[in-house]
Amino acid sequence: MSAPGSVVLGLIVPGLPHPLLAPDASPHWRRIRDAYDQAAARVRQAVEQDGADLLVLYSTQWMSVIGHQVQADPQPVWTHVDPEFHALGSMSYKLRMDADYAAAYAAAARARGLSCRTVAWPGFPIDTGTVVALSLLNPDNRLPATTTSCNMYADRGETVVLAKAARDAIVQGGRRAIAVAVTSLSARMHTRPVAPADDHLSSPKDEEWNQKLLEILSEGRLEDVAQLARTVAHQAHADQKMKAIWWLSALMDQGNRLRGTVHGYGPLWGTGAALVSLAPAATEHGQHEFDEDGVERFLGDAEVLQAPTARAPGGAPGAPAMERGLGRAGPSEVPPSVHVPAPARATAPARPSSAIPTGAIHTDTAPRPVGAYPHARRVGDLLYLSGVGPRQPGTDAIPGGPIRDAQGNPLSYDIVAQTRACIENVRRILEAAGSSLDRVLDVTAFLVDMDRDFAGYNQVYGEVFASVGATRTTLAVRALPTPIAVELKVIAAAGDVDVQKLATGG
Amino acid sequence: MSPTPAQSGQPAQPGTIVAGFLAPHPPHLVYAENPPQNEPRSEGGWEVLRWGYEQVRQRLESLAFDTIVVHSPHWKTVTGHHLLGVPRFRSLSVDPIFPNLFRYHYDLSVDVELAEAIAAEGADAGLVTELMRNPDFRVDYGTIVSCHLARPQWDRPIVGISSNRAYFSFSNEVGEQEMLALGRATRRAIERTGRRAVLLASNSLSHRHFTSEPAVPEDMTAEHPYSHNQYRWDMHVIELMRKGRCRQLLDEMPDFIEQATSECKDGSLTWLLGALGVPDYPATVHAYGTVIGTGNAVVEWLPPDPAPGVAAPGVAAPSVNAVGGAA
């Protein structure tokens, strides 16, 4: 049995419908179906031996624009038809989703600075990749699942942070998860029909890169593959820039400490379809110094399109589409009078005043106060929060456990979990007041055991607040009113205030 | 439902394209209108674009037509151009990107005979075409939004054409040639079947989105072009349309696609221009506005010499509008 709060298995699986709908129409599709069946057996093994209790998917076929979306309908039902391969038939499904985990996943993503929401509308069009993967890996709905969209603009940083949010929720819920990247290796499909029996990789270059990637994956070197993503995307037809691999590796600790098994590989309508399982291992392959390191928090759009280095029609300066390397113009083309916009903004823009509460602020989304005080009070441009602990709204449960029992006997507790819950409560109160974590100006932290807890508290604090730049004071105190180890006192800018003007007195 | 001239054999006279529209598909516009088919409710928003679509609706009231052919960026296919090939579809369309705004119950009929004719003409021109015959198929939301906004009565059959990925699989230039060929094939099929067809190209212009939306999606204080560059490109392209310089527009289209992240990369507008024979007459711009940062224009091409019987009895043509000149 694996430890709770861990990813017990990772899978890479293809999302085209052929192995589900027409496995026997082609020996190539049959091979992929057989590999899918092996992967499904591996899932059952993870349930029985490791106690796996959740499937978390990321599908390159579910595109999103407004941040990321997480599926939270407990039982989505539909008869789905693929927009391209409708002639292969229909896919009727009744899936089992874990709405609580999905909500925790989305909340953790927001806590890390991402835009993220759950979706649970009846009839929501679940993508082919998710339907195929869940139908073949989890045909009896033995495990609850959820699936995540692939944001069309997200690059590595955003995708890595998303995966870490998925992991936060796994840890928070004490789950034993199987992470599934629904993605092709190479993704170029045939542009003209081919007979199923004659299916083949649509590009020799794709085939070459697929083989390289499979060789590395078979050694369990998932992060090595993730580090290659940009190169592969330049040289071959990577599926959505290999975002799913970034996501999977970040969810599995961004290392190579894995055992890889390639269950099968072959063409699916010109794409490179591979089924690979990756299990945690005791040893790591080599000592690696990665070119691209981990990212803990999303700092907002890079606003690369605002850089004044390209031209609108007619030769006037404008903003280019630089993110994809489009339309770049040399520095000599930039006229001296071009407006240079402010650097990427970590602070959310000010909201209209009409939407912002004033005076004393109470909210049901935060733990109830233990005395006669509001959660926050607005005075002028500032929000003053009462001391915020880790207790959970509604239940008063303490993530990471209480520091003492009812008789006052000390208990073991997790300062990391308590600190995370504290910050989440701060976020809830700020959002109820129309503000946000990135508008925090000053933090006073109270710890009951500085020697024991400072490192864990400081690590979590840095994940969230390093980019915010708030001032901070940390104090050791003898006790707090409830059996908790940490409490935060926060001052933040109100949501309708321009933080930069506030800073300059403008 | 109006009868289709070619349903009983050869048409009495060649068919024609009676009008073509650039008819973008932001689901926000349907959400803002609060039609009974859509589940979410709104307080309005994006009025200028919706007023533009009112002009389209009035124009269609003044035209005698029997089918609507729509090319949609949100039915994406790689292996060829696919066409709806089932007589009727009735289901729920939920936008996978903006499910909070668009959950629309649709009931539409398809002009299968014209779809088959377009597929055949396309194949004769060397294109890969395929009829979509699966009755469980869910019609893409781009098709539904454009058709609703242009003709909310749903009283004409439609032909739905997918957006082939030739631009993405090869290059903008290759994609453009592919879509022009499909447009010409569409025109030939309309003429051969005797249809009086209205064409809808369901793409926006500049297309970089904001990646967040306001708490109230219709909060218009948050709406503006994504960038000055996108806006400048949109105005340039619209000006070419207004002056009837569509050949130049096609010449510049690959640059527009790259520089303005244009949704024209999905081919709808180029298909329309191909079907219209690359118009050298002025278009009427009914509206321009942004939706979550993307540039959207509602534009009409009325061929100068349509076949007799253009105006339906007792229906006035739309009035002059403020943006695009005389209608």
Side-chain angles (χ1 to χ4, degrees):
Chain A
M1 185 74 71
S2 297
S6 62
V7 177
V8 302
L9 180 67
L11 291 170
I12 299 169
V13 303
L16 294 188
H18 307 67
L20 174 66
L21 294 175
D24 295 319
S26 161
H28 306 289
W29 305 350
R30 180 74 250 175
R31 189 185 320 138
I32 299 303
R33 174 58 180 267
D34 290 345
Y36 241 122
D37 292 342
Q38 289 180 36
R42 188 66 187 82
V43 167
R44 290 193 295 275
Q45 182 186 26
V47 172
E48 290 154 9
Q49 296 184 0
D50 300 311
D53 57 12
L54 176 69
L55 283 160
V56 186
L57 278 66
Y58 175 104
S59 175
T60 56
Q61 294 187 32
W62 179 11
M63 301 307 298
S64 61
V65 170
I66 306 297
H68 289 86
Q69 301 187 120
V70 183
Q71 179 57 242
D73 183 349
Q75 193 177 69
V77 179
W78 199 261
T79 297
H80 174 68
V81 177
D82 185 79
E84 176 97 34
F85 301 106
H86 39 79
L88 292 180
S90 307
M91 292 170 267
S92 294
Y93 63 78
K94 180 189 284 186
L95 303 174
R96 178 184 168 207
M97 297 291 179
D98 191 323
D100 291 338
Y101 173 77
Y105 182 177
R110 291 192 294 272
R112 285 180 177 268
L114 294 168
S115 171
C116 190
R117 65 184 170 202
T118 57
V119 294
W121 284 283
F124 184 91
I126 294 180
D127 63 285
T128 298
T130 293
V131 173
V132 169
L134 288 178
S135 298
L136 292 176
L137 295 176
N138 192 38
D140 53 1
N141 280 327
R142 183 176 185 181
L143 293 179
T146 192
T147 187
T148 322
S149 70
C150 172
N151 182 286
M152 63 186 291
Y153 298 120
D155 209 326
R156 179 176 177 274
E158 191 169 350
T159 309
V160 164
V161 172
L162 177 74
K164 292 186 176 180
R167 191 178 182 90
D168 291 343
I170 291 167
V171 171
Q172 183 184 329
R175 309 300 293 269
R176 297 176 177 87
I178 299 172
V180 184
V182 185
T183 182
S184 302
L185 296 184
S186 62
R188 190 173 193 277
M189 293 201 284
H190 298 305
T191 57
R192 305 190 75 83
V194 299
D198 297 332
D199 202 352
H200 57 276
L201 264 292
S202 68
S203 152
K205 192 89 173 182
D206 287 354
E207 170 69 9
E208 179 186 349
W209 266 108
N210 292 343
Q211 293 292 352
K212 288 179 184 176
L213 297 177
L214 288 171
E215 183 179 338
I216 303 171
L217 287 169
S218 70
E219 297 173 353
R221 295 160 54 197
L222 178 59
E223 179 58 19
D224 279 353
V225 171
Q227 295 278 328
L228 277 171
R230 297 186 199 276
T231 302
V232 179
H234 280 124
Q235 297 202 9
H237 298 90
D239 190 357
Q240 296 298 330
K241 298 196 289 187
M242 291 179 64
K243 290 179 195 179
I245 302 297
W246 281 331
W247 178 85
L248 183 64
S249 184
L251 190 42
M252 301 192 78
D253 281 346
Q254 287 184 289
N256 295 322
R257 204 163 27 249
L258 299 166
R259 278 182 291 109
T261 304
V262 177
H263 298 291
Y265 165 74
L268 280 185
W269 206 249
T271 68
L275 286 107
V276 180
S277 63
L278 297 146
T283 57
E284 185 164 9
H285 290 273
Q287 297 292 321
H288 296 266
E289 182 178 331
F290 296 120
D291 291 337
E292 298 193 272
D293 57 10
V295 187
E296 297 300 329
R297 184 176 165 78
F298 182 59
L299 303 178
D301 287 343
E303 298 191 10
V304 289
L305 299 192
Q306 300 301 323
T309 56
R311 292 180 177 277
M322 283 182 61
E323 185 171 67
R324 300 181 208 163
L326 310 176
R328 288 183 175 154
S332 62
E333 294 182 68
V334 181
S337 60
V338 165
H339 165 66
V340 179
R345 180 182 59 225
T347 306
R351 295 174 56 188
S353 298
S354 60
I356 304 294
T358 57
I361 293 155
H362 302 264
T363 174
D364 293 333
T365 63
R368 62 182 172 76
V370 296
Y373 56 86
H375 286 105
R377 173 172 288 281
R378 178 173 180 167
V379 179
D381 290 338
L382 299 179
L383 283 166
Y384 296 86
L385 271 61
S386 300
V388 180
R391 287 179 299 120
Q392 292 299 282
T395 66
D396 283 342
I398 299 170
I403 65 171
R404 59 179 181 271
D405 64 18
Q407 288 71 46
N409 300 310
L411 298 171
S412 177
Y413 60 90
D414 181 353
I415 187 62
V416 168
Q418 285 208 14
T419 307
R420 247 187 246 294
C422 261
I423 294 171
E424 179 61 15
N425 284 336
V426 169
R427 183 191 66 75
R428 290 171 174 142
I429 294 169
L430 288 171
E431 292 185 356
S435 185
S436 53
L437 276 177
D438 57 6
R439 305 175 77 81
V440 169
L441 304 173
D442 180 68
V443 179
T444 305
F446 303 90
L447 301 178
V448 297
D449 190 338
M450 184 73 78
D451 292 341
R452 176 189 186 279
D453 293 340
F454 180 80
Y457 141 81
N458 200 41
Q459 172 210 323
V460 177
Y461 183 94
E463 290 173 7
V464 178
F465 286 110
S467 60
V468 176
T471 52
R472 186 185 83 175
T473 306
T474 304
L475 304 169
V477 295
R478 191 176 65 81
L480 291 163
T482 54
I484 59 175
V486 57
E487 182 169 305
L488 301 179
K489 178 86 179 71
V490 167
I491 301 172
D496 55 351
V497 173
D498 185 321
V499 175
Q500 291 196 344
K501 284 185 180 174
L502 186 67
T504 60
Chain B
M1 194 73 64
S2 296
T4 52
Q7 281 173 343
S8 56
Q10 290 296 312
Q13 58 185 13
T16 190
I17 298 170
V18 299
F21 296 91
L22 179 58
H25 60 260
H28 304 65
L29 304 185
V30 174
Y31 164 72
E33 184 185 301
N34 291 317
Q37 298 100 320
N38 199 32
E39 293 177 0
R41 297 292 100 183
S42 77
E43 299 173 348
W46 302 279
E47 278 76 9
V48 174
L49 280 167
R50 292 196 287 126
W51 294 335
Y53 265 112
E54 284 183 12
Q55 297 277 322
V56 174
R57 293 174 181 181
Q58 290 178 37
R59 171 64 76 194
L60 293 186
E61 287 295 326
S62 75
L63 296 173
F65 69 101
D66 46 43
T67 194
I68 294 172
V69 186
V70 55
H71 186 279
S72 170
H74 283 280
W75 180 11
K76 301 176 193 299
T77 55
V78 175
T79 313
H81 308 268
H82 298 212
L83 299 99
L84 297 178
V86 176
R88 186 180 180 192
F89 291 98
R90 184 179 183 184
S91 189
L92 169 67
S93 173
V94 180
D95 182 346
I97 297 171
F98 298 102
N100 52 326
L101 308 183
F102 191 77
R103 304 189 298 277
Y104 185 100
H105 298 265
Y106 63 90
D107 184 351
L108 60 86
S109 61
V110 174
D111 187 343
V112 176
E113 184 182 307
L114 178 56
E116 290 170 341
I118 294 171
E121 290 286 350
D124 286 349
L127 303 176
V128 176
T129 59
E130 181 177 349
L131 269 292
M132 202 304 299
R133 304 288 196 184
N134 190 324
D136 296 329
F137 188 79
R138 180 148 51 174
V139 178
D140 73 283
Y141 77 90
T143 293
I144 293 167
V145 168
S146 290
C147 288
H148 171 93
L149 291 170
R151 188 72 175 175
Q153 303 94 315
W154 292 99
D155 60 351
R156 298 290 195 280
I158 71 166
V159 173
I161 308 177
S162 75
S163 168
N164 178 263
R165 308 279 87 192
Y167 292 81
F168 299 85
S169 300
F170 299 101
S171 70
N172 291 343
E173 290 76 9
V174 170
E176 184 164 308
Q177 294 309 309
E178 179 105 1
M179 296 313 301
L180 288 171
L182 181 68
R184 290 190 293 267
T186 302
R187 183 188 188 94
R188 286 194 298 274
I190 289 167
E191 291 171 349
R192 178 160 65 81
T193 56
R195 297 296 195 276
R196 297 183 57 80
V198 167
L199 271 51
L200 304 181
S202 173
N203 66 247
S204 65
L205 296 177
S206 64
H207 204 61
R208 187 54 156 91
H209 306 76
F210 300 132
T211 54
S212 61
E213 64 182 352
V216 178
E218 59 269 37
D219 177 356
M220 289 295 101
T221 63
E223 191 61 77
H224 59 84
Y226 186 92
S227 70
H228 180 56
N229 181 61
Q230 284 200 175
Y231 180 77
R232 288 288 311 277
W233 260 112
D234 286 348
M235 291 305 108
H236 175 66
V237 165
I238 288 171
E239 194 62 15
L240 293 177
M241 297 177 191
R242 295 180 72 230
K243 291 179 176 172
R245 289 159 60 181
C246 290
R247 177 58 60 190
Q248 182 182 346
L249 171 55
L250 288 175
D251 289 345
E252 296 188 23
M253 190 73 88
D255 284 344
F256 173 48
I257 288 170
E258 296 306 309
Q259 295 282 334
T261 325
S262 174
E263 201 179 29
C264 289
K265 190 163 186 164
D266 293 291
S268 306
L269 177 59
T270 302
W271 161 81
L272 175 63
L273 297 179
L276 292 170
V278 189
D280 56 3
Y281 48 87
T284 300
V285 180
H286 291 304
Y288 174 82
T290 64
V291 178
I292 201 157
T294 67
N296 294 268
V298 181
V299 183
E300 171 186 310
W301 283 269
L302 201 60
D305 187 25
V310 167
V315 178
S319 60
V320 172
N321 68 67
V323 177

